[in-house]
Amino acid sequence: MKDTGKQARGIATKMALLEAAGRVFSRMTYDKAKLKDISDEAGISLGSLYFHFGNKDDIAEAVLQTQRDRLSGIALEAVEGNGTGRVRLFQLFEGYAEVISVDTIVQAGILLVSSLPDELKSWGQGFHSEWEQLCLSLIKEGVADGSITSSWSTEDLCELLNELFAGAQTISGVKDGWASFPKRIQRAKPLYDLLLTS
């Protein structure tokens, strides 16, 4: 029983450090963030941080992996959900916008990718291409089920929708730390619908 309690405390400490790292990396670039900033943010000793993560590279990698896991969960819901390809495509956009607007670790992952040193950039690469493939897959499903009737090619349509989504993400990130991202996606829904059916 004692071992189970110790293990649970260890998991809780590691998660608290990870959440603190998310908050720190949301405020500072990779090179400016210090391990002491993270341990102070978590209210946990620097020694404990070293025990759980080893170094700044390890904790940055853990932040990026957690970001990917959380976004992948939303992607899986869209892929395996009910409804037409068009409905699930918009659910994907809404789900991503919602989690980006509130999840500090996801936000930190977005910011980390641009500030990682060259030798670590591979950690953040590949996610955008996975996102594009997922969108393309849902668009093709929508064409097959008749809910997407656009005259655009599926590839061009996917690229255009991603440009709109990325634009809303960038603007909301600059203006209010992504708080308005879900509202911007909702506001653009008629435009998405027009593109998907014209």
Side-chain angles (χ1 to χ4, degrees), residues 77-99:
E77 284 178 22
V79 168
E80 296 183 347
N82 297 319
T84 63
R86 178 173 149 198
V87 164
R88 288 182 290 125
L89 179 66
F90 198 71
Q91 285 173 346
L92 177 71
F93 289 162
E94 288 178 312
Y96 267 47
E98 183 60 37
V99 78

Side-chain angles (χ1 to χ4, degrees), residues 124-140:
Q125 292 173 347
F127 192 75
H128 184 70
S129 62
E130 289 174 22
W131 158 262
E132 284 186 332
Q133 286 305 309
L134 176 58
C135 291
L136 185 58
S137 171
L138 290 170
I139 289 169
K140 287 179 177 177

Side-chain angles (χ1 to χ4, degrees), residues 20-186:
R23 293 190 297 275
V24 169
F25 287 132
S26 292
R27 296 192 306 261
M28 303 179 199
T29 57
Y30 178 85
D31 59 324
K32 290 195 169 138
K34 307 289 181 230
L35 288 177
K36 186 159 186 345
D37 297 323
I38 296 168
S39 68
D40 287 349
E41 180 78 23
I44 295 169
S45 73
L46 195 55
S48 186
L49 189 151
Y50 279 117
F51 174 78
H52 287 285
F53 290 103
N55 57 45
K56 188 164 70 168
D57 292 357
D58 291 342
I59 201 162
E61 186 176 15
V63 166
L64 288 168
Q65 185 59 55
T66 303
Q67 176 207 32
R68 176 165 278 190
D69 291 345
R70 291 178 181 179
L71 292 176
S72 294
I74 293 166
L76 189 62
E77 284 178 22
V79 168
E80 296 183 347
N82 297 319
T84 63
R86 178 173 149 198
V87 164
R88 288 182 290 125
L89 179 66
F90 198 71
Q91 285 173 346
L92 177 71
F93 289 162
E94 288 178 312
Y96 267 47
E98 183 60 37
V99 78
I100 289 169
S101 74
V102 297
D103 192 315
T104 311
I105 289 181
V106 172
Q107 294 169 0
I110 292 168
L111 296 169
L112 259 177
V113 170
S114 61
S115 70
L116 286 171
D118 288 342
E119 64 271 16
L120 304 179
K121 283 209 183 287
S122 63
W123 291 346
Q125 292 173 347
F127 192 75
H128 184 70
S129 62
E130 289 174 22
W131 158 262
E132 284 186 332
Q133 286 305 309
L134 176 58
C135 291
L136 185 58
S137 171
L138 290 170
I139 289 169
K140 287 179 177 177
E141 285 187 40
V143 170
D145 66 33
S147 63
I148 294 176
T149 55
S150 173
S151 58
W152 291 63
S153 73
T154 54
E155 289 77 11
D156 287 345
L157 186 57
C158 180
E159 186 173 345
L160 184 56
L161 293 174
N162 278 308
E163 287 171 0
L164 288 171
F165 184 85
Q169 178 181 324
T170 300
I171 292 168
S172 64
V174 169
K175 288 203 165 192
D176 52 37
W178 296 287
S180 64
F181 195 12
K183 190 182 291 184
R184 289 174 188 278
I185 293 299
Q186 279 300 321

